[in-house]
Amino acid sequence: MASAFRLQCHCILIFLAALKGETRYLEARGAGEDEPFLLLSADLKRELAGRQLYHRALRCIDMLSVEGQFTFTAAQPQLHCAAFFIGDPEELITLDYDFVNIDCQGGDFLKVFDGWILKGEKFPSSLDHPLPTSERYIDFCESGNIRRSFRSSQNVAMIFFRVHEPGNGFTFTIKKNANLFPCNVISQTPTGRFTMVIPHQHRNCSFSIIYPVVIKISDLILGHLNSLHLKKPSTGCAGVGDFVELLGGTGLDPSKMFPLADLCQSFHGSAQMKIGCDNTVLRMVSSGKHINRVSFEYHQLDQYELENRKENSIEEFCFPGI
């Protein structure tokens, strides 16, 4: 499964391929460039939390998953840089600019994006995010001192930046805030469990897992009890205001993925599927008339499972030749 999407994700987000089980936190080393990533255990994260504010330098391409203060200083012109931020599913990301020294008139820029973008695809998709795409970008060169603080709408965010002059740069602080009703999540790990609740809100929420997985839905409560429909052109949950769908694809944007299965009615039990796509998304569509809830767990497909695709498996949507 060496798709371009996964290769790019693994190049930028090396930790996604390395994290296992309870190891959920990563931070970059301040040492040499030959050791760019250090996995932080939950114990180390708690140790960091008990100390003073964590500090380190920011790289041109970077990933941050712990709170702290980060400084970028250009040693040479850096024209194509990005830093990705990720928290736990129940967290929001807050970014505060402490110091900015860039030449906006000379072509430098510093932009925050509410979500992630990879290869032109956005998460959350434009259909699922509460803001129009244009309002998801905050350009420091346009807002300046007016917007020196930013809070994400979900557990991921990112910045794009360009700095021409050596010695110029910026400093910002990352903090995390609790999110009582998480909507739109990228999982840090290939294994986990989650309960998504949408309380009387007209919104769509997506949970993204950037791995081929087995996903098991154990409990589904919708406003209107045991029905799983494999997607066909004339079937599914069309016309139903509240439902859950499973999506699979090779990109990041749920709106561009294959619709694989619908869950239209509430049930207590088990609905399991093996999805061999680069990216798997569970998406809940809510009319706002009810309190909707879905509980599920997932784990990455191992090599044996990938090689033995049988019943209750829909990876052929991702691998048309199989």
Side-chain angles (χ1 to χ4, degrees):
M1 297 180 58
S3 72
F5 169 75
R6 181 175 300 164
L7 286 174
Q8 178 157 352
C9 283
H10 285 191
C11 287
I12 298 177
L13 313 175
I14 296 175
F15 80 104
L16 288 178
L19 291 176
K20 296 179 181 179
E22 302 302 321
T23 305
R24 299 169 61 93
Y25 306 98
L26 143 153
E27 207 31 84
R29 271 187 208 270
E33 293 295 327
D34 57 332
E35 295 181 322
F37 290 99
L38 168 67
L39 296 178
L40 296 188
S41 66
D43 289 340
L44 184 51
K45 186 186 178 188
R46 286 192 293 269
E47 183 180 347
L48 285 173
R51 296 180 177 178
Q52 294 181 341
L53 186 65
Y54 177 66
H55 298 263
R56 80 154 171 84
L58 186 74
R59 293 181 173 86
C60 177
I61 299 296
D62 217 333
M63 161 63 66
L64 305 175
S65 66
V66 297
E67 296 178 325
Q69 188 177 67
F70 306 90
T71 298
F72 178 80
T73 303
Q76 60 187 18
Q78 298 283 8
L79 307 183
H80 305 285
C81 298
F84 296 80
F85 313 129
I86 188 167
D88 286 346
E90 301 85 3
E91 294 177 330
L92 301 175
I93 307 295
T94 296
L95 181 150
D96 295 307
Y97 291 120
D98 303 309
F99 170 79
V100 178
N101 178 29
I102 62 175
D103 183 4
C104 295
Q105 301 300 318
D108 292 358
F109 63 76
L110 176 57
K111 300 179 182 180
V112 184
F113 182 72
D114 192 4
W116 276 6
I117 299 180
L118 287 174
K119 296 184 67 176
E121 296 200 7
K122 300 182 292 292
F123 183 91
S125 72
S126 299
L127 297 178
D128 295 346
H129 199 279
L131 297 175
T133 300
S134 61
E135 295 183 22
R136 295 170 66 178
Y137 290 92
I138 304 297
D139 190 336
F140 178 86
C141 288
E142 294 181 359
S143 60
N145 291 326
I146 300 175
R147 288 293 300 272
R148 298 187 70 91
S149 183
F150 162 85
R151 177 177 291 188
S152 69
S153 302
Q154 60 288 309
N155 78 319
V156 293
M158 67 183 298
I159 60 172
F160 304 92
F161 56 97
R162 174 184 296 166
V163 181
H164 288 85
E165 186 68 25
N168 285 358
F170 53 88
T171 298
F172 60 82
T173 298
I174 292 293
K175 298 178 181 178
K176 298 178 183 178
N177 307 98
N179 185 6
L180 295 180
F181 297 104
C183 177
N184 298 316
V185 171
I186 291 181
S187 176
Q188 292 193 52
T189 64
T191 301
R193 61 181 62 196
F194 189 71
T195 296
M196 180 184 292
V197 180
I198 306 181
H200 293 292
Q201 294 176 325
H202 181 41
R203 66 192 306 192
N204 307 325
C205 297
S206 295
F207 190 99
S208 175
I209 311 159
I210 310 178
Y211 298 92
V213 296
V214 175
I215 187 166
K216 179 179 179 181
I217 300 175
S218 58
D219 187 59
L220 176 62
I221 299 177
L222 298 169
H224 42 267
L225 277 168
N226 303 335
S227 181
L228 175 65
H229 306 280
L230 286 179
K231 275 277 190 177
K232 296 180 181 179
S234 60
T235 64
C237 296
V240 178
D242 301 88
F243 63 93
V244 165
E245 61 181 350
L246 294 176
L247 308 171
T250 58
L252 192 66
D253 192 328
S255 69
K256 298 180 181 180
M257 294 183 182
F258 297 107
L260 302 177
D262 284 340
L263 290 146
C264 305
Q265 299 178 357
S266 302
F267 71 88
H268 302 279
S270 178
Q272 176 174 300
M273 275 201 167
K274 182 167 64 173
I275 305 175
C277 301
D278 288 352
N279 192 9
T280 300
V281 167
L282 181 145
R283 181 173 182 261
M284 177 179 280
V285 176
S286 180
S287 66
K289 299 177 181 178
H290 314 282
I291 298 176
N292 296 325
R293 186 181 74 193
V294 59
S295 297
F296 57 95
E297 58 186 82
Y298 53 93
H299 71 264
Q300 184 176 7
L301 288 171
D302 59 31
Q303 192 61 37
Y304 175 81
E305 290 173 308
L306 286 171
E307 294 173 352
N308 292 270
R309 295 180 286 272
K310 294 182 180 180
E311 70 282 349
N312 214 26
S313 175
I314 49 182
E315 66 281 350
E316 61 268 21
F317 285 86
C318 304
F319 304 101
I322 294 177

